[in-house]
Amino acid sequence: MARGKKIYEGKAKVLYEGPEPGTIVQYFKDDATAFNAEKKDVIDGKGVLNNRLSEFFMLGLGQIGVPTHFLKRLNMREQLVRSCEIIPLEVIVRNFAAGSMAKRLGLEEGTQLSRPVVEYSYKDDALGDPLVPEEYIAAFGWASPQDMEDILSIALRVNDFLSGVMYGVGIKLIDFKIEIGRVYDGDFQRLVVADEISPDSCRLWDIETGRKLDKDVFRRDLGNLTDAYSEVARRLGVLPKNATPITKPTLIN
Ligand code: TMP
């Protein structure tokens, strides 16, 4: 499919104008970054896996009535999505303490929380995506109180869906991040899940062994990232069990 002009290049994806007005082609790169791009590498095959996995999760959400920006996958690395105005927040949902929460509160990683915790970071790389209280969100006009009610309900539905899907394949959903976009249908505004849902933006632990199957493998140098993501994809049936390696044969056993 012909894609149009480049609109934006981020750390893991490139966005191009789509074939119809209101559409965008989202291209998944192999680049991995962590700690606000202080750590960088190119991981063969990551983009292909995330394109597939994000398609899988977005389609599943659509099936249970959670609106997303996803329209269709175009090829190995590209998907067509609805163009939307991204609300400048990282919406983070946590079921178990890990990462920045574990550090901030001195909790052991993996401590179960008594209820899911939803928190918001302001999307600004130069500031390092600071955690912000909800009052800031209204005060600075990033989202209205009505938007925040809708965002909370979407975040919790995504959490229930992803937790269940992961539990079904022996994986514990520790936490994840989503982004929300506004789309306009005539005069009406709707909120949709946008960006991507992939092991780049979740923490996923094997229930039996505790093995990490997400981007912490890269952040913390715990092994081969493509192996970890392929394992998630295989368990979900997104990659057939005996899939031909999509990257260098040495990377996937
Ligand atoms: P944190 O514990 O580092 O705050 O991360 C919480 C969740 O958000 C975790 O699943 C990883 C995800 N995340 C992103 O997707 N992008 C980011 O830039 C950061 C910092 C975290």
Side-chain angles (χ1 to χ4, degrees):
M1 170 168 316
R3 60 185 186 208
K5 272 203 325 246
K6 189 196 273 193
I7 302 171
Y8 174 80
E9 176 152 6
K11 287 177 284 198
K13 295 187 294 297
V14 189
L15 304 182
Y16 299 93
E17 279 174 358
E20 315 283 343
T23 64
I24 284 186
V25 173
Q26 192 166 256
Y27 175 97
F28 287 75
K29 300 194 282 187
D30 279 343
D31 302 36
T33 67
F35 315 117
N36 211 3
E38 268 172 43
K39 182 177 165 99
K40 284 188 208 177
D41 205 349
V42 176
I43 313 280
D44 268 336
K46 179 175 85 87
V48 174
L49 285 159
N50 281 354
N51 186 26
R52 284 279 185 166
L53 283 163
S54 200
E55 172 192 22
F56 176 82
F57 296 126
M58 295 288 183
L59 283 177
L61 285 169
Q63 290 283 335
I64 64 158
V66 178
T68 79
H69 72 159
F70 183 84
L71 294 171
K72 67 172 177 179
R73 187 168 57 80
L74 298 172
N75 55 47
M76 297 265 280
R77 286 189 184 271
E78 292 177 327
Q79 50 184 243
L80 190 69
V81 300
R82 271 193 79 167
S83 145
C84 50
E85 201 179 287
I86 296 286
I87 294 180
L89 296 173
E90 303 213 320
V91 179
I92 295 164
V93 184
R94 303 179 187 271
N95 299 303
F96 299 83
S100 65
M101 175 191 248
K103 199 166 168 200
R104 191 176 312 114
L105 301 180
L107 295 170
E108 189 179 340
E109 287 207 305
T111 307
Q112 186 157 25
L113 304 174
S114 61
R115 44 174 275 187
V117 170
V118 183
E119 64 183 44
Y120 306 96
S121 294
Y122 177 51
K123 259 174 76 69
D124 184 318
D125 281 342
L127 298 175
D129 299 341
L131 188 66
V132 288
E134 260 191 81
E135 273 218 85
Y136 285 25
I137 298 171
F140 291 104
W142 299 325
S144 69
Q146 176 63 54
D147 289 337
M148 292 314 292
E149 251 181 61
D150 294 346
I151 290 173
L152 178 65
S153 124
I154 291 172
L156 293 174
R157 290 195 72 192
V158 173
N159 186 43
D160 283 346
F161 170 76
L162 285 181
S163 297
V165 167
M166 291 302 179
Y167 178 73
V169 295
I171 294 173
K172 203 173 351 184
L173 178 67
I174 302 295
D175 57 29
F176 65 91
K177 183 266 300 186
I178 50 171
E179 294 184 22
I180 303 289
R182 296 178 204 281
V183 296
Y184 296 92
D185 290 319
D187 285 342
F188 292 98
Q189 171 210 280
R190 284 192 304 128
L191 299 183
V192 299
V193 179
D195 188 54
E196 71 177 276
I197 301 180
S198 74
D200 267 10
S201 50
C202 300
R203 284 198 174 90
L204 306 170
W205 295 5
D206 180 72
I207 290 178
E208 291 290 319
T209 64
R211 177 184 165 202
K212 292 181 172 47
L213 297 169
D214 58 63
K215 206 167 103 179
D216 275 346
V217 171
F218 169 73
R219 293 190 190 95
R220 305 179 187 188
D221 296 318
L222 301 176
N224 186 302
L225 194 72
T226 318
D227 283 353
Y229 288 20
S230 301
E231 176 66 21
V232 176
R234 263 199 222 101
R235 289 195 198 183
L236 292 170
V238 171
L239 279 186
K241 286 210 165 39
N242 304 315
T244 328
I246 52 168
T247 60
K248 291 178 193 148
T250 48
L251 291 180
I252 299 178
N253 33 29

